[in-house]
Amino acid sequence: MIYEGKCLSVSMTDEGIAELVFNAQGSVNKFDQITVTELGEATAALQTADGVKGVLVRSDKSTFIVGADITEFTALFALEESEVLEWVAKTSQVFNHFEDLPFPTICAINGFALGGGCEMTLACDLRVADTTAKIGLPEVKLGLMPGFGGTVRLPRVIGSDNALEWMTTGRDRNGQKALAEGAVDAVVAPEALHQAARTMLLSAINGKLDWQARRAQKLAPLSLNTNEAMMSFSTAAAMVFAQAGKHYPAPHKMVETVQKASASGRDGALKLENEGFVALAKTDACQAQVGIFLADQLVKAKGKKMAKAATKSVASHAVLGAGIMGGGIAYQGAVKGIPTVMKDIAQPALDLGLNEAAKILGKGMERGKVNAKTMASTLNNISATLDMNAIAHTDLVIEAVVENPNVKAAVLKETEETVADDAIICSNTSTISINQLAKALNKPERFCGMHFFNPVHKMPLVEIIRGENTSDATISAVVAATLKMGKTPIVVNDCPGFLVNRVLFPYFAGFSHLLIDGADFTAVDKVMEKIFGWPMGPAYLLDVVGMDTADHASGVMSDGIPERMQKIENDPVTLLYSNKRLGQKNGKGFYNYGTDKRGRPSKSPAPEAYSLFEGHVAEKRDFDADEIIARVMIPMANEAIRCLEEGIVGSAAEADMALLYGLGFPPFRGGIFRYIETMGLDNFVALADKYADLGPIYQISDGVREMAASGKSYFA
């Protein structure tokens, strides 16, 4: 044994080949600080070992290396810039020292080789992948750039254009794609990987493969002339701006770094990479995106733990109420192989539900994401019926009828009388109290809310709403069923609007008050989209939601939380609803909807909306961007804080993910709690106090004031 550590070992085999094997104690290999240290020690041991002619790097697990240990980043990035720079430069040198070993090296890649794992493969002279391999540099998704030599080596291996596409998008490649682009030298079946790597390494040892030339290419400047460099980097910069915009600095920094380093050798290029990495590590966007990654891991772990505790297996679904939403829910189960009964009282609604599923599949086929077999099996999994008895033997029933408590209660009562005693019953409601609906049932312990978001096939979130009588067994089974449907479940407790809608409607209220005070809805939308980063501003979002839905939901919120969410006099949303301007569903709301000369959807500010508002709102005036943001975001933030304080949601991380997945909260801001903490709790309190005279939705709780005074964090 040449070297033995906790995460990797090096042993001598025959024909002068030493094998460096990653085999961490956990389920996967990752580059935490221990592994980096051991790689340095193993490299030093190889330098002095007798008889080594070449090194084969591989994993003893089902995957190679998944990347760096992101859980170490929070504390690391809180250090001074000089300390972060020292760490990343020192780590880079570990990879350099391995690359500089005086004999050929080869990497055998199985499963994921991402981030630092990909950079380890690039430090080798040769690379062989098997057909399970997924290779890539996804650091951009964390608001970062590669930090262990990725921006230096990959452009010199596959060319700057391909390398920048890899890095700025963060998309991984399978073995064949990586081979076509020159990132690996061969792709073989998993059972042939080890022998193929040994054979290729022996060819290098015996002089049949020129490994020195390959290594020299990675140490030299990029082979681009002035015109090629100008074209390559200007094109990359334009593409990155078009895709990423101004809110995500990481892809821009990658282009800038590779361009600046193009005329430098490895050491000069690595210095620029180290500096770029540290600059990004200190950005708010990086803090937010790393926060999202960690929050997502927490939500997934919590979901898996609950699902593991499930005692009832859900093998079949029923959806009550077809139409677009019911059809979307039925599709989501059916596409995952779950037999689903879709029941309605009217054939046209069933036709609409089936058409919705077929439309989703048809669009998937157009994009090459769905094949004919998947389309056929999905549609075959949906049984449309007018007969209530068809649901009698299903394991999970999802009621998705009209958002009316009396109608829902009647349907739920009939459902309970029809299904088996151990069947689980859920309501897809966006606002109606689960405790209220449960009163219609004899066994409320098997009932909970299951709030899907529209469009169902695109929106990742499902809110699982626990009623006061809902059993743990029911929640566990529904969480497991949600995961099986390919969705992200977040469990919340019952209250008006649950979590997502409860925090959304104060945001809408802040918007309505702005309009009443003379703001132009197009100006508000522009600020909230272009500056804050929402995919849709509040006026546009209300048009998508529908004024009828919004007016109904605001009534529910007003009844449930009258001290903060009472109906607004002269509310522009109510004015539009009263005048049958419902939004996108009938082509007219804040905006008018139609098609342009090319047949594409069009949207234009509606003169009719401005006319309706006259006499009900103040004279039009300009508001600066900071005031617009404050007046709509403070109410949302305050309500999110109250939800956490009241135990409606389990953690700030879960609240952040719910708004990210349910509303499209801007990822570069990290979620509502990350947004508050980036601002600073003391600054948030001061800002809210500035607008406190506008009403209760702007007035903070004692809890947040106390946290700000004591310097606490929602993520501690």
Side-chain angles (χ1 to χ4, degrees):
M1 186 69 71
I2 295 173
Y3 175 84
E4 186 166 15
K6 293 180 179 178
C7 304
L8 59 90
S9 62
V10 183
S11 57
M12 198 70 180
T13 67
D14 56 355
E15 300 186 88
I17 295 176
E19 291 198 2
L20 191 159
V21 181
F22 287 92
N23 191 18
Q25 292 176 342
S27 59
V28 294
N29 297 315
K30 54 189 173 183
F31 269 120
D32 52 19
Q33 295 192 45
I34 294 174
T35 304
V36 170
T37 299
E38 290 188 358
L39 177 60
E41 292 169 354
T43 300
L46 281 164
Q47 284 273 15
T48 57
D50 293 330
V52 177
K53 297 178 181 178
V55 177
L56 189 158
V57 180
R58 64 177 180 87
S59 165
D60 232 10
K61 297 186 182 295
S62 61
T63 200
F64 182 61
I65 300 171
V66 296
D69 184 353
I70 313 302
T71 61
E72 294 181 345
F73 282 6
T74 304
L76 180 66
F77 293 174
L79 300 173
E80 294 296 322
E81 278 194 29
S82 59
E83 294 176 280
V84 183
L85 182 61
E86 181 183 355
W87 168 79
V88 74
K90 184 179 177 182
T91 303
S92 296
Q93 288 304 311
V94 171
F95 286 77
N96 284 359
H97 293 154
F98 180 85
E99 184 174 49
D100 293 339
L101 285 169
F103 31 72
T105 56
I106 191 167
C107 188
I109 309 165
N110 64 311
F112 290 110
L114 302 176
C118 179
E119 288 169 300
M120 183 69 222
T121 75
L122 292 168
C124 296
D125 301 311
L126 302 159
R127 288 162 291 282
V128 180
D130 73 15
T131 52
T132 71
K134 297 285 185 183
I135 307 164
L137 294 168
E139 288 85 352
V140 69
K141 297 175 184 178
L142 298 173
L144 287 167
M145 61 193 281
F148 304 159
T151 71
V152 179
R153 295 184 178 96
L154 189 62
R156 286 156 178 78
V157 171
I158 67 172
S160 59
D161 289 347
N162 281 335
L164 285 169
E165 205 277 331
W166 277 50
M167 295 187 291
T168 60
T169 64
R171 287 194 289 267
D172 57 48
R173 265 64 174 168
N174 62 26
Q176 287 298 334
K177 188 87 162 53
L179 177 64
E181 291 177 310
V184 300
D185 301 292
V187 179
V188 298
E191 63 272 16
L193 179 62
H194 186 245
Q195 187 56 50
R198 282 186 62 88
T199 301
M200 188 176 287
L201 182 58
L202 284 170
S203 293
I205 291 169
N206 297 330
K208 295 176 183 177
L209 275 176
D210 190 352
W211 58 274
Q212 290 99 332
R214 289 166 175 266
R215 186 179 294 185
Q217 185 177 338
K218 291 189 289 175
L219 303 178
L222 281 172
S223 54
L224 292 172
N225 63 40
T226 304
N227 287 336
E228 288 172 333
M230 184 179 70
M231 284 293 295
S232 174
F233 296 119
S234 61
T235 300
M239 288 179 66
V240 163
F241 188 81
Q243 292 292 319
K246 64 183 180 180
H247 295 304
Y248 297 89
H252 302 284
K253 178 63 76 174
M254 290 179 197
V255 176
E256 175 193 316
T257 300
V258 175
Q259 181 174 12
K260 284 182 178 178
S262 61
S264 300
R266 184 186 70 184
D267 292 346
L270 263 176
K271 183 175 183 296
L272 291 168
E273 179 186 272
N274 294 162
E275 292 167 355
F277 181 91
V278 174
L280 289 172
K282 289 294 182 178
T283 62
D284 290 342
C286 174
Q287 301 294 325
Q289 289 173 267
V290 169
I292 286 172
F293 176 88
L294 296 174
D296 187 53
Q297 294 297 301
L298 181 148
V299 166
K300 285 177 178 173
K302 202 166 182 177
K304 287 177 182 176
K305 185 177 180 180
M306 286 187 189
K308 195 174 181 182
T311 55
K312 178 176 175 59
S313 175
V314 174
S316 59
H317 293 176
V319 179
L320 307 182
I324 291 175
M325 177 60 86
I329 296 171
Y331 159 83
Q332 193 61 41
V335 78
K336 297 298 182 180
I338 303 165
T340 303
V341 175
M342 184 170 64
K343 192 269 174 190
D344 204 283
I345 58 172
Q347 188 61 45
L350 288 177
D351 293 341
L352 185 59
L354 287 170
N355 287 340
E356 177 66 12
K359 185 173 74 174
I360 295 166
L361 290 161
K363 286 183 178 178
M365 288 189 76
E366 287 174 15
R367 295 196 303 270
K369 302 283 187 182
V370 173
N371 58 34
K373 183 179 178 183
T374 299
M375 184 168 192
S377 65
T378 301
L379 293 175
N380 284 337
N381 279 331
I382 301 174
S383 303
T385 183
L386 299 172
D387 181 9
M388 191 67 170
N389 290 322
I391 75 166
H393 302 295
T394 52
D395 298 315
L396 173 69
V397 180
I398 304 167
E399 168 273 305
V401 301
V402 63
E403 191 78 351
N404 178 300
N406 294 327
V407 175
K408 284 183 177 289
V411 171
L412 290 168
K413 187 175 188 302
E414 185 182 5
T415 300
E416 187 177 44
E417 293 167 353
T418 307
V419 298
D421 282 346
D422 66 341
I424 294 168
I425 304 171
C426 300
S427 176
N428 174 51
T429 174
S430 55
T431 55
I432 301 171
S433 167
I434 294 302
N435 291 332
Q436 178 188 343
L437 291 175
K439 291 174 182 176
L441 301 173
N442 292 320
K443 295 178 68 177
E445 64 274 11
R446 59 160 163 176
F447 175 65
C448 70
M450 198 176 185
H451 179 204
F452 291 83
F453 291 77
N454 201 20
V456 175
H457 67 288
K458 288 185 178 179
M459 301 299 283
L461 177 66
V462 177
E463 277 184 303
I464 310 298
I465 304 104
R466 182 194 292 272
E468 60 189 359
N469 293 309
T470 307
S471 70
D472 289 344
T474 294
I475 293 296
S476 293
V478 174
V479 166
T482 304
L483 289 169
K484 195 173 176 182
M485 292 174 81
K487 295 299 180 185
T488 299
I490 293 181
V491 179
V492 299
N493 284 315
D494 188 31
C495 70
F498 318 129
L499 172 63
V500 173
N501 280 331
R502 179 170 162 182
V503 303
L504 176 62
F505 276 84
Y507 169 85
F508 283 154
F511 168 65
S512 290
H513 282 298
L514 263 176
L515 299 196
I516 291 168
D517 289 346
D520 185 330
F521 65 82
T522 61
V524 177
D525 273 5
K526 185 176 180 181
V527 167
M528 297 312 294
E529 291 169 8
K530 302 297 183 187
I531 297 177
F532 193 82
W534 283 104
M536 291 178 276
Y540 187 15
L541 179 57
L542 280 160
D543 274 0
V544 171
V545 169
M547 301 308 150
D548 51 346
T549 303
D551 185 76
H552 166 78
S554 65
V556 172
M557 302 306 295
S558 176
D559 292 342
I561 313 177
E563 65 274 22
R564 287 191 304 282
M565 299 192 199
Q566 59 271 40
K567 279 274 197 175
I568 299 168
E569 189 177 350
N570 292 334
D571 189 345
V573 175
T574 304
L575 289 170
L576 291 170
Y577 171 57
S578 300
N579 285 272
K580 295 183 171 52
R581 297 189 65 85
L582 305 183
Q584 279 190 340
K585 64 181 65 177
N586 71 343
K588 52 187 182 180
F590 284 99
Y591 298 91
N592 287 329
Y593 299 88
T595 53
D596 62 17
K597 293 177 181 178
R598 297 183 180 179
R600 296 175 302 187
S602 65
K603 170 174 77 83
S604 58
E608 301 91 336
Y610 289 115
S611 298
L612 276 175
F613 301 157
E614 284 180 15
H616 299 281
V617 302
E619 188 174 336
K620 189 179 291 185
R621 66 183 179 93
D622 292 333
F623 291 78
D624 67 39
D626 288 343
E627 182 173 357
I628 288 172
I629 292 169
R631 287 188 60 173
V632 295
M633 291 308 301
I634 291 170
M636 175 178 274
N638 272 339
E639 207 59 39
I641 289 167
R642 290 181 189 277
C643 284
L644 184 62
E645 290 177 348
E646 294 170 16
I648 301 303
V649 65
S651 65
E654 288 166 277
D656 279 354
M657 295 312 297
L659 268 62
L660 188 81
Y661 285 157
L663 294 179
F665 199 96
F668 71 91
R669 295 193 184 276
I672 190 66
F673 281 97
R674 186 68 60 183
Y675 166 67
I676 296 166
E677 294 234 343
T678 299
M679 184 189 305
L681 279 179
D682 50 350
N683 292 329
F684 173 74
V685 168
L687 186 65
D689 284 346
K690 178 181 174 182
Y691 292 99
D693 61 339
L694 292 178
I697 57 174
Y698 292 92
Q699 294 161 10
I700 64 171
S701 70
D702 292 338
V704 69
R705 197 178 295 280
E706 184 183 317
M707 284 191 68
S710 57
K712 293 179 180 176
S713 167
Y714 286 110
F715 297 100

